[in-house]
């Protein structure tokens, strides 16, 4: 298995840094190939601008169209091209990051903004009466899996179904469904460490053991059963879920997950 770890934390000695290092050691010991994108160490440029697209940038700048032209012409910046190559190389992508203000750190969102360009991660496939592009289960990155490994400062009860912060699955839906599943990557159930700001050595040992177990079962873990866009569950072109497919009483993000 070939695994890309995309790591976003400014402190190498942090809990996130320890989990990243443990992932590398565990996977390599099991015979897997591992590459690491350490965004803070790379001083990753997190903002999209005209420099990303060189001579393919328009004025005024049109990010989608310009990024697509630069991708097609091979004139994206070297840092972006390198990350796209890593994604195409990988079987599995592990994202290691802390939950900051209910989402990923800005540097990781900036990696997505710059690397997931038009014609690479979206804007592919036919648009017809039966298809609406290759996305949500299809696309350039189909056949790959991803795992979010997330540290959360608060206790798990705050992120439960009735918790004040909202269910963790809802908070991660925009990442798992909107960023990963959109270009075809199948997200696995996330690995979440709660109470990370006050974790004790004993609690870390428990979390580390659970993390190793998750890593060693990456290939056998079933992905989240998100509904595929072009396979009959949605009306096209409205992309509304067809009536009667949802379990009784289910609403919101849960509509887009099939019963296992």
């Amino acid at each position: 298995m070939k695994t890309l770890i995309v790591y976003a934390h400014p402190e190498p000695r942090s809990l996130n840094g320890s989990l990243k290092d443990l992932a590398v050691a565990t996977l390599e010991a099991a015979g897997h190939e591992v590459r690491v994108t350490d965004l803070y160490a790379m001083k990753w440029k997190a903002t999209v601008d005209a420099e990303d697209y060189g001579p393919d940038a328009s004025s005024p700048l049109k990010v989608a169209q310009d990024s697509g032209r630069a991708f097609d012409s091979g004139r994206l910046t070297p840092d972006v091209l390198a990350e796209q190559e890593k994604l195409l190389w990988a079987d599995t992508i592990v994202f290691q990051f802390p939950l900051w203000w209910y989402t990923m750190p800005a540097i990781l969102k900036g990696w997505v903004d710059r690397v997931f360009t038009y014609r690479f991660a979206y804007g592919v496939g036919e648009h017809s009466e039966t298809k609406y592009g290759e996305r949500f289960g299809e696309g350039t990155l189909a056949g790959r899996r991803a795992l979010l490994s997330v540290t959360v400062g608060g206790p798990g009860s705050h992120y439960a179904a009735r918790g004040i912060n909202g269910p963790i699955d809802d908070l991660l839906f925009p990442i798992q469904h909107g960023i990963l599943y959109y270009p075809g990557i199948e997200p696995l159930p996330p690995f979440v460490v709660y109470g990370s700001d006050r974790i004790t050595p004993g609690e870390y040992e428990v979390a580390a053991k659970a993390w190793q177990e998750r890593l060693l079962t990456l290939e056998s873990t079933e992905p989240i059963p998100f509904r595929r866009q072009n396979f009959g569950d949605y009306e096209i072109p409205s992309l509304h879920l067809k009536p009667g497919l949802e379990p009784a009483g289910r609403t919101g993000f849960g509509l887009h997950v099939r019963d296992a």
Side-chain angles (χ1 to χ4, degrees):
M1 184 174 70
K2 296 179 290 188
T3 301
L4 171 63
I5 299 175
V6 183
Y7 164 64
H9 198 286
E11 175 51 67
R13 296 167 296 178
S14 64
L15 172 59
N16 277 268
S18 295
L19 294 174
K20 179 263 294 180
D21 291 343
L22 182 58
V24 172
T26 300
L27 291 170
E28 289 185 340
H32 302 300
E33 297 179 65
V34 181
R35 295 185 186 180
V36 177
T37 287
D38 185 338
L39 294 173
Y40 283 94
M42 294 164 62
K43 300 188 183 303
W44 179 263
K45 173 179 171 286
T47 54
V48 171
D49 56 32
E51 293 181 1
D52 285 347
Y53 313 131
D56 294 298
S58 62
S59 181
L61 183 68
K62 297 180 179 179
V63 170
Q65 295 92 326
D66 296 353
S67 72
R69 277 197 303 276
F71 173 76
D72 287 338
S73 68
R75 289 194 288 251
L76 290 167
T77 55
D79 57 346
V80 169
L81 287 172
E83 295 306 303
Q84 290 182 342
E85 188 276 328
K86 291 178 191 176
L87 286 168
L88 294 175
W89 166 86
D91 302 311
T92 303
I93 308 106
V94 174
F95 293 87
Q96 181 67 60
F97 63 93
L99 194 73
W100 285 350
W101 289 106
Y102 299 89
T103 189
M104 60 175 65
I107 198 169
L108 180 53
K109 180 54 165 58
W111 179 85
V112 173
D113 288 346
R114 296 185 63 224
V115 174
F116 281 39
T117 64
Y118 188 66
R119 305 293 297 163
F120 175 74
Y122 68 105
V124 299
E126 69 173 85
H127 285 70
S128 66
E129 293 182 358
T130 58
K131 294 193 70 173
Y132 199 85
E134 293 177 356
R135 58 183 198 163
F136 294 113
E138 300 176 279
T140 304
L141 299 176
R144 292 161 182 81
R145 296 170 149 222
L147 171 63
L148 303 185
S149 175
V150 185
T151 62
V152 179
S157 61
H158 293 188
Y159 297 87
R162 298 173 67 86
I164 192 168
N165 290 325
I168 191 67
D169 288 339
D170 283 4
L171 295 177
L172 297 179
F173 182 88
I175 303 172
Q176 295 186 136
H177 188 266
I179 292 175
L180 300 176
Y181 195 57
Y182 190 107
I185 302 171
E186 292 189 296
L188 304 178
F191 179 80
V192 184
V193 177
Y194 296 101
S196 60
D197 289 344
R198 295 167 295 280
I199 194 168
T200 66
E203 290 169 337
Y204 173 75
E205 291 302 319
V206 172
K209 182 178 179 180
W211 181 221
Q212 288 179 300
E213 291 173 353
R214 283 299 307 274
L215 290 165
L216 294 174
T217 57
L218 282 176
E219 294 174 288
S220 59
T221 300
E222 289 295 319
I224 299 169
F226 287 129
R227 298 180 187 274
R228 300 178 72 179
Q229 175 185 277
N230 294 316
F231 288 75
D233 284 1
Y234 296 94
E235 298 171 345
I236 295 177
S238 71
L239 294 180
H240 282 200
L241 183 66
K242 291 180 179 178
L245 293 182
E246 71 277 13
R250 184 178 295 180
T251 59
F253 294 148
L255 290 175
H256 306 292
V257 181
R258 294 179 285 102
D259 282 342

